Amino acid sequence: MATVDAQQVDETLVFYEDQENLKKLCNFLRSNEGVPVREAIEMDKRVYYLKGEKLVNFLVEPKKGTKWPSNLPRFENRTQAIAVAKDLCTYGFVHRSEKRGKGQLAVSRVRDFDEAGYFTWMYEGDKTFSHLMTTALVVGFLFCTCFPIWPNFLKVFVWYMSVTLLIFIFFLVTARALAFLFVWMAGYDFWFLPNLFDETLSFTDSFKPVIYFEKSKPGQFMYRIGVAVAFFSFCYWAVTQPSEFDGFVAAQGDFLKDLYAGTLLSDMSQKDKENIDKPKVQSLEDLLTKLDEEEEEEEKMLSEEEKLDSLLENLVDEEEEIDEEEE
C-alpha cells in the first residue's frame, strides 16, 4: 500500500515538472476558483500576492466548493505541494516579496520558497479572454465612429434600443424607490438590488445580493407617519381628479410616442433629417446667387463712398462761399 502511495506521489511530481503543466496549474490558481490573493503596490505597480502557507494549504485542501480541473492531478500531502511551490519560484511564476508597510511590497533578496514568506504573482494567467475583450473594444469603438455611414435601419434600431433602455432604467429606479417607500412605512428597510449603483463593486457584484431586508432603525416612527399621510393624500387627490389625471396619462403616452418617433425636440424639416449625414455641397445656383449678393454689396459700398465724396465737396464749396462773402 505504501508503495502505491509513493508511486502516486512520484507521478504527481513528474507531471508538474513539465512547465506547460505548471502553466495549467497557474491558470487554475489565477482563476476565480483559485487561491485568494491580496492587492499591493510593488515598484510602483499594482500586484497580487499571497502567503506561502495559504498556497500550500489550498493545494493540499482547496476551499469548499472549489472545482479542481480534471486534467490536473491532486496533491496528496504538503510535501508534494511545497515541492511544486518551489518549482513555481524556480521557473518565475511567482517571486518572493517583503512587506514594507500597509499595501506596500518590495522584492526580496531571498529566492527560496518558505511557507512564512509572501509571494507575488508574476504570471498573469490565461490572457485569451483579455485579448478577446480588447479586440471587441477596438472593433466596437471603430464601429461607433462609423455611425454617420450606418444604414438607416441600423440607426433606427440603435435609437429604439437606447430609448427602451432609458425607459427601463427609469421604471426600475422608480419601482425600487416605491417598494422601499411602502416597506419603510411599515417599519422595515427593503431594497431590490441594493448595490446596483455602487461604483466601487464589479459588474457581477453589483447584482449581489438580490434583496436586502432588515428592520428599520428606531426613532423613525413620526417620519414614517408624515410620509404616509403625504403619500396617501396625493393618491386621494389623483383619484378624485379624473379629468386632470387622465390628461396626465394621455400626455405621458404622447411623450413616449414622440420619444420613440424622434420628434420630441425636433426643429428640423424631414428633408434635413434625411440628409443629415450627407456632405453639405452648395449647388451652382446657390453659388451664383451668393456672387450676385456680393456684387450688390460692393455696389452699395461704392454708392456710399460716392455720397460721402459729394458731401465733402459740398462742405468745401460752402466754406469757400462764406470766405468770399466775408472779404
Side-chain angles (χ1 to χ4, degrees):
M1 189 68 176
T3 304
V4 175
D5 293 340
Q7 186 177 359
Q8 290 178 350
V9 170
D10 293 339
E11 290 179 355
T12 301
L13 293 178
V14 170
F15 178 84
Y16 287 113
E17 285 178 357
D18 188 350
Q19 289 193 36
E20 290 299 322
N21 294 332
L22 271 180
K23 187 178 292 186
K24 294 177 182 178
L25 177 64
C26 290
N27 288 334
F28 166 65
L29 295 175
R30 292 306 312 272
S31 66
N32 294 332
E33 294 285 340
V35 57
V37 295
R38 295 182 179 180
E39 293 185 8
I41 301 297
E42 184 179 81
M43 300 179 64
D44 298 328
K45 183 180 178 181
R46 185 175 297 278
V47 295
Y48 298 93
Y49 74 99
L50 73 166
K51 197 171 183 180
E53 182 181 4
K54 290 187 177 181
L55 175 60
V56 174
N57 292 340
F58 181 85
L59 292 175
V60 177
E61 188 177 356
K63 59 185 179 181
K64 188 176 181 181
T66 301
K67 296 180 180 178
W68 191 275
S70 59
N71 60 341
L72 297 177
R74 296 288 296 269
F75 295 89
E76 301 296 333
N77 51 55
R78 299 183 69 84
T79 303
Q80 280 184 295
I82 292 174
V84 172
K86 290 181 179 180
D87 290 339
L88 294 178
C89 293
T90 302
Y91 293 115
F93 290 99
V94 296
H95 71 259
R96 190 164 179 173
S97 302
E98 296 178 355
K99 274 197 170 184
R100 291 296 177 85
K102 187 176 181 181
Q104 297 291 330
L105 294 177
V107 179
S108 175
R109 295 182 179 180
V110 181
R111 304 296 183 184
D112 298 333
F113 180 81
D114 186 358
E115 292 189 53
Y118 294 94
F119 296 87
T120 301
W121 279 107
M122 298 178 65
Y123 180 69
E124 297 183 354
D126 188 4
K127 306 296 291 183
T128 303
F129 180 75
S130 178
H131 294 329
L132 290 175
M133 293 300 295
T134 303
T135 304
L137 181 63
V138 173
V139 172
F141 175 76
L142 294 176
F143 185 71
C144 291
T145 56
C146 295
F147 180 81
I149 61 175
W150 285 9
N152 190 54
F153 76 91
L154 193 57
K155 294 179 182 179
V156 173
F157 170 76
V158 172
W159 171 256
Y160 272 69
M161 185 175 63
S162 302
V163 172
T164 302
L165 179 62
L166 179 64
I167 294 174
F168 172 76
I169 293 175
F170 173 77
F171 280 105
L172 176 62
V173 173
T174 304
R176 289 175 74 247
L178 290 176
F180 171 80
L181 180 64
F182 291 145
V183 180
W184 179 75
M185 287 188 295
Y188 294 90
D189 290 345
F190 171 79
W191 280 111
F192 175 69
L193 299 176
N195 296 322
L196 183 61
F197 300 107
D198 192 341
E199 298 178 355
T200 61
L201 300 177
S202 63
F203 177 79
T204 55
D205 291 337
S206 298
F207 297 93
K208 300 177 183 177
V210 178
I211 292 176
Y212 170 83
F213 186 82
E214 282 188 2
K215 188 173 179 59
S216 300
K217 295 180 180 180
Q220 299 180 352
F221 179 75
M222 296 303 298
Y223 295 104
R224 292 199 296 269
I225 293 297
V227 172
V229 170
F231 178 77
F232 288 110
S233 297
F234 171 78
C235 293
Y236 175 78
W237 171 84
V239 172
T240 56
Q241 302 292 328
S243 58
E244 295 183 11
F245 188 73
D246 291 344
F248 173 77
V249 173
Q252 296 306 310
D254 294 338
F255 171 80
L256 292 178
K257 290 179 181 178
D258 292 339
L259 190 62
Y260 272 104
T263 58
L264 183 63
L265 299 175
S266 177
D267 56 355
M268 296 187 298
S269 64
Q270 184 64 28
K271 182 178 180 181
D272 292 336
K273 289 182 181 179
E274 293 175 353
N275 299 330
I276 191 171
D277 298 328
K278 295 181 180 179
K280 293 179 173 55
V281 180
Q282 291 181 335
S283 62
L284 179 61
E285 184 179 354
D286 294 335
L287 292 174
L288 293 175
T289 303
K290 186 175 182 181
L291 289 174
D292 292 339
E293 292 176 352
E294 290 177 354
E295 291 178 357
E296 290 178 359
E297 290 180 358
E298 290 178 359
E299 291 177 358
K300 289 180 179 179
M301 291 292 293
L302 291 175
S303 61
E304 290 179 357
E305 290 178 358
E306 291 176 355
K307 289 180 180 179
L308 288 174
D309 291 339
S310 61
L311 181 61
L312 289 174
E313 290 178 358
N314 293 332
L315 290 174
V316 171
D317 293 339
E318 289 179 357
E319 289 180 356
E320 291 176 355
E321 290 177 358
I322 293 172
D323 293 336
E324 291 177 357
E325 290 178 355
E326 289 179 352
E327 291 177 356

